[in-house]
Amino acid sequence: MVLSTANNLGQPSSRQINFVTLDGIPNVWYFGTDPEAPKVSELDLGRAAIFTLPTSEELRITSNRLKVYRTQYRFSDIAEAYQKQVPGYVESLSKEEQEKEIIFAIELKSARIDSRFQNKGLTFSE
């Protein structure tokens, strides 16, 4: 997906990230990042929006109604989910990189599912 954030001056930044979901935790997506990455300070401000890449059916999910926050998870806690959902990602990181990763969560409050043919808004209950 594409994750967009803004710095403390409101300057936007977008980047593609890999994320995973965990069984039994609906509407929350997890991703790891290097603690030295510039996006960490932006993520800590909590200003974010997402846009998923189109699926084979040309469906996309967009949202700017979400909560982004650091979790207590370590990369090893979600590595199995990465192995299943993003093949090759775990192997692309060294053991040192995996140990340093900060795990963030994106909790969707509402989202829009877009296709060429229709747009549909979804709101999630808490």
Side-chain angles (χ1 to χ4, degrees):
M1 84 174 134
V2 175
L3 172 67
S4 297
T5 56
N7 66 17
N8 59 349
L9 299 175
Q11 293 177 293
S13 180
S14 297
R15 78 263 312 147
Q16 186 173 337
I17 63 167
N18 293 302
F19 70 92
V20 297
T21 58
L22 300 178
D23 290 339
I25 306 175
N27 311 323
V28 180
W29 301 348
Y30 298 90
F31 66 96
T33 190
D34 182 331
E36 310 282 323
K39 70 181 166 206
V40 171
S41 62
E42 295 171 5
L43 290 164
D44 285 340
L45 293 173
R47 301 179 194 146
I50 59 145
F51 178 91
T52 64
L53 303 175
T55 65
S56 57
E57 295 84 21
E58 297 194 31
L59 296 174
R60 295 169 298 283
I61 299 171
T62 61
S63 180
N64 62 359
R65 293 209 6 91
L66 52 87
K67 179 179 174 185
V68 61
Y69 55 92
R70 292 180 188 224
T71 72
Q72 296 300 313
Y73 289 128
R74 301 192 49 79
F75 187 81
S76 58
D77 297 326
I78 63 171
E80 186 177 332
Y82 266 110
Q83 287 175 324
K84 290 178 183 175
Q85 297 170 37
V86 188
Y89 185 76
V90 173
E91 294 77 19
S92 74
L93 298 175
S94 70
K95 290 288 183 196
E96 293 155 345
E97 289 170 321
Q98 290 179 27
E99 289 173 9
K100 285 182 13 179
E101 290 276 286
I102 298 172
I103 306 304
F104 278 89
I106 295 173
E107 185 177 332
L108 300 174
K109 301 297 183 188
S110 67
R112 177 169 290 291
I113 299 175
D114 297 315
S115 74
R116 288 187 302 179
F117 308 109
Q118 65 181 357
N119 298 322
K120 182 177 183 180
L122 302 172
T123 301
F124 306 106
S125 60
E126 295 190 26

